[in-house]
Amino acid sequence: MHVRYGVTTRRVATAALLATTLTLSLTACGGDGEGAAKDQGSSSAPAASGNSKPKEEEGGGNTVPDTSQTLATINGSNGLQIVIHSAVRDTGGFLTVSGTIKSTAGKTSYAPIEWNGQEQVVRGTGRSLAGITLVDKAEKKRYYVLRDTDGYPLTTTGISNIDAAGTAFFAQFPAPPDGTTEVAIQIPLMPTATIAIS
């Protein structure tokens, strides 16, 4: 019971952190709101789609990831497709990768346990995407999903059943050096893809 409460608390805290970060990012973009929406045209439509999670919306408005851009589409042999929409440097030296996971098998698919990662500390935190890594080939460095002081990964957790509508996700990493403009993203049981950093 105590573990479930801790996991739920961390999920809410993580969702609140993501919502705040995305809200500040949207605010920092400037513009008068209406004019920006008119200028962007189709880019405002995906943000209003029904694929967003309610807990992400509770953070204060339109906080779902911008799905108008696709950095990479990764198709696995397990009937799952991962679309990476953004890889953005945040203040404080972080890199946040966000995207959507969908089932392409025509039925509900299940997130493989390998996505959790191999570390004992994250195995106890439940289903997550802690197994994702980024590789900076130029610097010859590998980056892992960040953990909090209790060992919980700074990524979407609780992903198990995935349908065709898709599930939004994020994962936060240490940011590579400013000179690095692209990294390889490696997700267990999925092909490697290269994504650009903005």
Side-chain angles (χ1 to χ4, degrees), residues 19-46:
T20 302
T21 302
L22 291 173
T23 301
L24 290 174
S25 297
L26 291 173
T27 303
C29 289
D32 61 357
E34 291 181 16
K38 289 177 186 174
D39 292 342
Q40 291 176 358
S42 63
S43 66
S44 62

Side-chain angles (χ1 to χ4, degrees), residues 53-169:
K53 292 183 176 181
K55 68 178 180 181
E56 291 173 343
E57 291 177 351
E58 289 173 8
N62 194 7
T63 60
V64 295
D66 179 9
T67 58
S68 63
Q69 184 179 11
T70 299
L71 301 182
T73 301
I74 307 167
N75 292 302
S77 59
N78 52 6
L80 294 172
Q81 179 185 77
I82 296 181
V83 180
I84 307 297
H85 298 298
S86 66
V88 180
R89 294 180 189 274
D90 299 326
T91 56
F94 305 115
L95 176 70
T96 302
V97 175
S98 62
T100 308
I101 305 171
K102 299 178 182 180
S103 172
T104 58
K107 59 180 181 178
T108 299
S109 296
Y110 302 95
I113 198 162
E114 288 85 357
W115 286 3
N116 295 0
Q118 297 296 318
E119 299 169 62
Q120 289 294 335
V121 68
V122 294
R123 286 184 182 182
T125 62
R127 292 298 183 118
S128 73
L129 297 171
I132 298 176
T133 59
L134 300 178
V135 177
D136 181 349
K137 294 179 182 177
E139 295 289 325
K140 298 181 179 175
K141 290 184 180 178
R142 181 183 301 272
Y143 297 91
Y144 294 87
V145 173
L146 291 168
R147 274 59 163 161
D148 67 14
T149 54
D150 294 324
Y152 288 85
L154 298 183
T155 182
T156 304
T157 59
I159 296 176
S160 55
N161 301 342
I162 302 167
D163 58 22
T167 299
F169 76 91

